Every structure is written in structure tokens, then in C-alpha cells.
Amino acid sequence: MQKPILKTTLFIFLTLCVTNSFGQIEKLRQKIQQIASSVDGKLGIAVLDLAGEDTLTMNGKGHFAMQSVYKFHLGLAVLDQVDKEKFKLDQKILVRKKDLLPNTWSPLREKYPNGEVEVPLSELLQFTVAQSDNNGCDILFNLVGSPKTVDTYIKNLGIKDVAISTTEQEMHQDPKAQFTNWSTPWSTVKLLEKFYQKKILSASGHDFMWKTLAEETTGSQKLKGLLPKGTVVAHKSGLSGTDEKGLTAATNDIGIVTLPNGKHYAIAVFFANTKMADKDSDRVIAEVSKAVWDYFSTK
């Protein structure tokens, strides 16, 4: 007579676990909806548990301008060509004076103001991805072919809801061009998942990219802003700047967060068309990130 009792107990236990999990994620959904309803602008959010089945989206299939988030996609394409032995990480790339455009974010230009210098490909990648260098970005686009080359590469990975078509220089020349480089939040976390699962790059390429993302120096107050000190977040942020009407078209952050138990989740937060100050919009992204962190930390 013991077996039926055990089965009944197990059924009740599983039911309680499912109900509790459902209740927790609904609380998270309500918290994020509360944050979204209190802001000026449109939020696009996607969360994917990389060790389970939990997912959450808000405007997950909306098209959001990526801005510098697309430097992650570019970095993957460059490292793929390194894996195929078309390039080497220690290969020297000539950076010409004319490549170092003024009036754009460029730590690369600050280090090599006169150009005409050979820089290792690994350093160009670190400038572009970890420091979000706009000149480095366009040098790498030219190296692999064009933005279209990167677009094709990403789509061939199975990530279809994305478009990469213009360089940083083109976006600076025409503000409307930024909207031709878009992604959905959901396709972003699915790309992060493929990267995390080591389905894209070689082991050495994966490790290089992970280290580079984890060392990003821009956007530190976004996904990481309210997380416990020392939390590892391999992320890539993006920011459009503010137009003459005070409108910020895009402020974003995407990444993979490491939990205290060693597990991970992918998160993408895109914030579009806001008149909030940068520090306030960063705070919104940070609040979403902290709500997700709290959910996974207490599961």
C-alpha cells in the first residue's frame, strides 16, 4: 500500500513546485510591467534561463535599433574568420590617419591620434567590443567585408530577426540609418544562448569573446548597475545619443549574467524613444536587471 502513497506525495510535490515557479515568474512579470508603465519610452525585454526553461519577454518581437550592441555580432563574425584561419588574433592591422574620424567615440583614436600604425587584431577587437570604439568598428567591418557580411553570417547561425546594414560612420551622417540596424529582444537572447553553449566559435574564440564582454568599460550602470558588487556580466551596451528635441532613440544593454551558484541567464533590455536623462534611463535598465536577478537568485 506504500507505492500509491508515494506517487500521490510526489504528484503533490511536483504540483506545488510548478505552481510556485509559475507564481514567482508572474511576480517578476508584474514587476517589469510596473517598471515599464512608469517610464517615458518603450521597453523591449527578453530573458532566457540558460540552465532551464524559464523565459520572459516584453515586446520581445519588436524591432529595436541596436546601436553599439551590434558590435557583439561583428565581433562574432571576426572571430569566426579567425577560426577559419582567414585572420589571426596577433595579425597586425594598419590603422590609417583617415580611419580615425573625429567627433565620434574612439579610445583608439585617443591612443593613436596620428594613425599610420599597425595594431594587433586582438587589440582592435577589444577597443571595438569592450570599449565600444566607433572607428575600430568600421575598420573591422571593412576587414570582414561589410555590414552585409556580418548580417549574412548572423542569419546563417539561425538568427533571422536581425538586420545589420550600415556602419558607424553612416549612422553619424544620417540619424535615420540607425534604424536599419535592428534586432528583436528575443533573437538577441537566442544569439547569446548559442554563444554561451559554444555552438558558434572555437574554444579559444569563445574564451576571448567572453573575456572581452566581461571587461566592457561602457554601460556599467545598465545591466550591472544594481547587481551585487563583483557580479560577472558578459555584456554589450549601446547608446544613440540625444537629438535636438531631447529624444534618445536607443539605449540598450544585452548580456549573460553569472549567478552565485554558477548558473547563468541571458538578458536583453532595449529602451527606445525616451526623453529621460541618460542616468535615469540607465537606472530603468538596472531596475529591470535587478528584478530578474532577484527572481533567479531566489528560485
Side-chain angles (χ1 to χ4, degrees):
M1 296 298 293
Q2 294 299 312
K3 288 185 178 180
I5 294 174
L6 287 172
K7 287 181 179 179
T8 301
T9 303
L10 179 60
F11 173 77
I12 293 172
F13 174 74
L14 290 175
T15 301
L16 287 172
C17 284
V18 171
T19 302
N20 185 51
S21 178
F22 178 79
Q24 285 179 320
I25 203 163
E26 279 305 303
K27 288 181 180 178
L28 172 60
R29 191 182 306 277
Q30 290 171 12
K31 175 64 175 177
I32 289 177
Q33 288 174 340
Q34 181 182 11
I35 295 170
S37 65
S38 67
V39 304
D40 165 47
K42 179 181 179 181
L43 279 169
I45 300 164
V47 179
L48 178 60
D49 183 358
L50 296 173
E53 299 180 351
D54 285 346
T55 63
L56 183 146
T57 62
M58 172 181 288
N59 298 319
K61 294 185 178 180
H63 292 193
F64 290 83
M66 285 191 285
Q67 282 293 331
S68 288
V69 162
Y70 82 161
K71 291 168 184 170
F72 169 59
H73 303 63
L74 169 60
L76 293 176
V78 173
L79 289 170
D80 175 71
Q81 293 198 10
V82 171
D83 286 341
K84 292 174 179 174
E85 300 184 346
K86 185 173 181 179
F87 304 112
K88 296 181 179 179
L89 281 176
D90 61 0
Q91 178 177 338
K92 299 295 181 66
I93 307 298
L94 177 63
V95 176
R96 301 164 297 178
K97 175 68 172 179
K98 67 178 184 179
D99 296 326
L100 300 174
L101 302 179
N103 303 319
T104 190
W105 173 254
S106 184
L108 175 67
R109 185 190 60 237
E110 298 304 311
K111 183 174 182 179
Y112 305 109
N114 298 316
E116 309 309 323
V117 61
E118 291 187 329
V119 178
L121 178 56
S122 58
E123 187 177 351
L124 273 178
L125 278 166
Q126 289 166 336
F127 269 115
T128 300
V129 180
Q131 299 185 53
S132 210
D133 194 287
N134 293 333
N135 286 322
C137 177
D138 287 354
I139 292 169
L140 291 179
F141 271 134
N142 289 331
L143 184 68
V144 299
S146 68
K148 181 62 178 177
T149 304
V150 179
D151 183 79
T152 300
Y153 165 72
I154 296 296
K155 286 185 168 69
N156 285 340
L157 294 176
I159 306 299
K160 305 300 183 182
D161 290 332
V162 64
I164 300 170
S165 64
T166 55
T167 63
E168 284 284 354
Q169 182 181 5
E170 289 168 330
M171 286 195 287
H172 278 73
Q173 291 172 339
D174 179 7
K176 293 181 181 178
Q178 67 181 300
F179 301 108
T180 68
N181 301 315
W182 59 265
S183 179
T184 67
W186 181 246
S187 67
T188 301
V189 295
K190 292 301 289 183
L191 179 61
L192 288 167
E193 179 186 40
K194 285 179 179 290
F195 167 68
Y196 173 78
Q197 294 175 340
K198 302 183 179 180
K199 293 181 177 180
I200 298 178
L201 302 173
S202 65
S204 59
H206 174 90
D207 291 347
F208 179 90
M209 178 58 85
W210 180 273
K211 184 173 184 293
T212 302
L213 292 170
E215 293 177 347
E216 184 181 352
T217 58
T218 58
S220 62
Q221 296 305 307
K222 294 182 178 181
L223 288 181
K224 295 179 67 174
L226 295 174
L227 299 187
K229 186 177 180 180
T231 300
V232 176
V233 183
H235 70 120
K236 185 72 203 80
S237 62
L239 177 64
S240 65
T242 304
D243 67 15
E244 65 279 1
K245 296 180 180 180
L247 188 70
T248 300
T251 179
N252 315 316
D253 206 1
I254 71 166
I256 297 170
V257 180
T258 303
L259 292 160
N261 62 7
K263 295 183 178 181
H264 301 85
Y265 61 87
I267 179 171
V269 184
F270 293 87
F271 194 6
N273 300 326
T274 180
K275 290 190 175 182
M276 299 176 72
D278 287 347
K279 65 180 181 62
D280 295 325
S281 57
D282 284 357
R283 177 78 182 193
V284 170
I285 294 174
E287 288 176 353
V288 171
S289 178
K290 182 60 163 58
V292 174
W293 167 273
D294 289 344
Y295 166 74
F296 282 108
S297 297
T298 57
K299 277 187 64 177

